[in-house]
Amino acid sequence: MGEKENGRERKRSIMKLTVLGGGGVRSPFLTKSIALGAEAAGITEVVLMDNNAEKLHKYGKIAKLVGERCNPALHFILTTDAEEALRDADYIITTIRGDADEGRVFDERTALSHGVLGQETTGAGGFAMALRSIPILTGYCELARRVAKPNVLIFNFTNPSGLVTQALRTQGYDMVYGVCDAPSGFHKQLAALLGVERERFTMRCWGLNHLSWFDSFRVDGEDVTGKILAAPRLYQATEMKHFDPELVRLSGNLLPNEYLYFYYYSNRAVQSILSSSKTRGETILEINQKMHRALDEIDIDRDLEAAFHCFMLHYAMRENSYFTIETGGAPKNIDVPTVEEFIRQPDGGGYAGVALDFIKARATGEKIQMVLSVPNNGACPYFADGDVMELTCEIDGEGAHPLPVPEIPPMQLNLIRTIKLYENLTVEAILEKSYEKAVKALTIHPLINSYPIAKSLVDTYKERYKGYIGELS
């Protein structure tokens, strides 16, 4: 009887976090963040689930072994069984890619053939990715509703994150929060620029995912906007290197999310990609294929060091080319650490860090601020309560509370309203299987802004992804 009671007590004490897409190439970074933050968040078990068994037993296995090195007390499980992975889950992180890298290549080349940008989270590329991401995540959310814990929280990192979160919230999956590591990354850059600890520096984010602005910069409560704008390295050492100072002044000295480059420099981005021998998707596909083949020659269980070196070598290739094809900028220079060096390096947190901070705040009631994609709920009077927006939120034991944004300048408001209309039309098109709303969505998007192009893009993408969305009519 005592053993049974102990068994029941052990089962009750398990706090389970499931990663959907646990065989992704960023999984080792994800598990490091989770492993290092698990104790503070109360996490005892991590399940890496992926429907691609080959990737799961390469990247998922590397991630599991790295996670175990970081935190031997944490229990890791690999599985291709979604129901097993989601059963009794307390928390879920989604990071999936429907149609894999090949879909990204198709989306980009299709858009470029029409003379428009194919970047996978904005415009035509983001629309195409939504066609396959939303149906997949809807299925997982419905399964989670049936088999996960009743109060399960889902942190969606699947792109286009804000649009996907809008679709899931529209269907009543109120446990879903959109997560992106771009705002937190920019926060760290600006704190470093000022030479202060991250915890002392605060700023406010508002807009949509990959279409947001930052203001209210403070250190220990003191306004430091002037110091940031006057910092000589602002346009060299941060994401602001992609923008002209004159544009920032035109924008009312609001600092833009780096993805606004694709809106304010769209022609330059398209020309830069066309002049390159490969798109970003083609570059990623080629690097990943080389990595897959190289890992085939390594026994990961017996030689984690060799497997990790292979993984990091190719990861560095991917990261070194980030934003360079689209901007024509110089590549980054990322070192390749050993496993132990990687574990000892300060954890960047990433989207897993955002999720863990949320979990810790909800568990302890300690108030913190973070950027999430959440329903507006009156924070911005220009938008409906149900409109999912990317906002700085205060997190406490009751959940996420977006900070108010009472005024938005006309320049930013016009663009946000247009893209929010595009997002809502895209969600309606997918959920209602409406061809007309799909064409309308792309027609009004400023990166397309053409009915014939929009119609041709929808015709091409709906044929490619009808296995995900069914027939649009």
Side-chain angles (χ1 to χ4, degrees):
M1 182 68 175
E3 289 182 0
K4 289 183 179 179
E5 288 176 349
N6 289 338
R8 283 198 296 269
E9 179 61 32
R10 186 194 66 80
K11 186 173 182 179
R12 281 197 297 269
S13 69
I14 291 175
M15 188 72 73
K16 179 177 176 179
L17 185 152
T18 295
V19 180
L20 299 177
V25 294
R26 292 184 68 179
S27 291
F29 294 89
L30 178 67
T31 55
K32 175 185 173 181
S33 295
I34 293 172
L36 294 178
E39 184 176 358
I43 305 297
T44 61
E45 182 173 285
V46 178
V47 180
L48 302 178
M49 180 270 163
D50 206 293
N51 59 10
N52 186 315
E54 182 182 5
K55 288 183 178 180
L56 184 67
H57 289 98
K58 287 180 179 174
Y59 310 113
K61 183 175 287 186
I62 293 172
K64 175 179 181 290
L65 295 173
V66 168
E68 290 171 342
R69 289 267 191 104
C70 292
N71 185 348
L74 195 57
H75 184 212
F76 284 90
I77 298 171
L78 304 180
T79 183
T80 57
D81 187 328
E83 185 164 341
E84 174 192 347
L86 295 176
R87 188 171 301 283
D88 296 325
D90 296 276
Y91 306 104
I92 300 166
I93 292 176
T94 78
T95 171
I96 64 173
R97 179 177 291 280
D99 209 34
D101 295 329
E102 289 78 5
R104 181 177 188 173
V105 170
F106 178 84
D107 297 346
E108 289 176 340
R109 279 300 173 191
T110 297
L112 289 170
S113 71
H114 288 77
V116 299
L117 191 69
Q119 201 278 334
E120 69 170 347
T121 65
T122 58
F127 173 84
M129 193 168 192
L131 294 183
R132 54 195 190 275
S133 296
I134 290 172
I136 294 173
L137 264 298
T138 296
Y140 283 136
C141 284
E142 185 55 35
L143 180 58
R145 179 178 277 172
R146 289 193 287 108
V147 304
K149 295 281 183 63
N151 61 344
V152 64
L153 292 183
I154 300 177
F155 300 98
N156 174 56
F157 188 70
T158 298
N159 278 322
S161 178
L163 205 165
V164 171
T165 302
Q166 178 71 70
L168 298 174
R169 284 278 186 164
T170 296
Q171 295 177 87
Y173 298 111
D174 296 336
M175 68 288 213
V176 179
Y177 295 86
V179 177
C180 180
D181 53 0
S184 60
F186 191 42
H187 181 276
K188 286 185 285 187
Q189 291 175 10
L190 292 181
L193 186 75
L194 294 169
V196 301
E197 296 84 0
R198 288 166 47 192
E199 294 74 20
R200 296 175 55 202
F201 175 66
T202 61
M203 64 185 191
R204 184 178 64 170
C205 174
W206 46 266
L208 306 176
N209 179 238
H210 287 186
L211 193 96
S212 55
W213 286 262
F214 304 92
D215 64 8
S216 300
F217 306 104
R218 299 183 182 278
V219 172
D220 298 332
E222 179 186 352
D223 189 336
V224 293
T225 302
K227 290 182 180 179
I228 289 176
L229 294 174
R233 289 178 53 76
L234 176 64
Y235 293 94
Q236 290 85 40
T238 78
E239 292 160 6
M240 294 304 300
K241 64 187 177 183
H242 303 305
F243 301 92
D244 293 297
E246 293 80 7
L247 173 61
V248 174
R249 287 195 287 272
L250 286 174
S251 302
N253 286 328
L254 301 170
L255 299 189
N257 184 300
E258 67 176 328
Y259 283 85
L260 278 159
Y261 176 86
F262 296 118
Y263 290 86
Y264 291 137
Y265 300 86
S266 57
N267 290 345
R268 185 184 297 179
V270 170
Q271 289 306 312
S272 182
I273 296 168
L274 289 174
S275 65
S276 176
S277 60
K278 298 184 184 72
T279 65
R280 173 71 174 163
E282 288 164 346
T283 300
I284 296 297
L285 176 61
E286 182 179 293
I287 293 171
N288 285 348
Q289 286 176 337
K290 289 180 180 177
M291 180 166 52
H292 297 334
R293 292 192 294 269
L295 285 173
D296 282 336
E297 305 302 316
I298 300 172
D299 186 331
I300 298 173
D301 287 307
R302 291 175 177 268
D303 197 348
L304 174 61
E305 195 63 58
F308 186 77
H309 178 80
C310 175
F311 164 78
M312 282 302 302
L313 185 66
H314 291 86
Y315 170 80
M317 293 178 190
R318 290 196 307 274
E319 290 303 297
N320 285 343
S321 65
Y322 178 67
F323 243 77
T324 60
I325 295 172
E326 299 90 344
T327 66
K332 299 179 182 179
N333 184 21
I334 296 178
D335 294 329
V336 179
T338 65
V339 175
E340 292 306 316
E341 288 171 342
F342 175 71
I343 292 172
R344 288 197 302 268
Q345 287 173 350
D347 181 43
Y351 58 92
V354 177
L356 289 171
D357 285 344
F358 189 111
I359 293 168
K360 287 184 282 188
R362 196 178 80 150
T364 63
E366 181 180 351
K367 293 182 179 180
I368 62 169
Q369 289 187 3
M370 65 176 59
V371 177
L372 297 168
S373 287
V374 295
N376 175 45
N377 285 341
C380 297
Y382 310 95
F383 298 90
D385 284 350
D387 283 341
V388 168
M389 303 187 69
E390 185 169 83
L391 301 166
T392 296
C393 298
E394 188 172 84
I395 314 299
D396 58 23
E398 302 300 316
H401 314 283
L403 300 186
V405 187
E407 294 185 11
I408 298 177
M411 180 179 178
Q412 287 78 17
L413 181 59
N414 179 63
L415 184 54
I416 297 171
R417 277 178 162 164
T418 300
I419 299 302
K420 191 67 237 180
L421 177 58
Y422 149 78
E423 288 188 350
N424 287 336
L425 283 168
T426 299
V427 169
E428 292 169 12
I430 293 171
L431 300 185
E432 299 170 15
K433 301 188 185 303
S434 170
Y435 175 79
E436 181 180 284
K437 288 187 175 181
V439 173
K440 187 175 181 180
L442 285 188
T443 298
I444 67 168
H445 199 293
L447 294 181
I448 298 161
N449 200 31
S450 164
Y451 167 72
I453 292 176
K455 190 173 185 299
S456 180
L457 286 168
V458 171
D459 287 341
T460 304
Y461 288 141
K462 78 180 181 70
E463 182 63 26
R464 168 89 178 193
Y465 299 122
K466 62 184 177 183
Y468 295 92
I469 60 170
E471 295 288 348
L472 298 183
S473 59

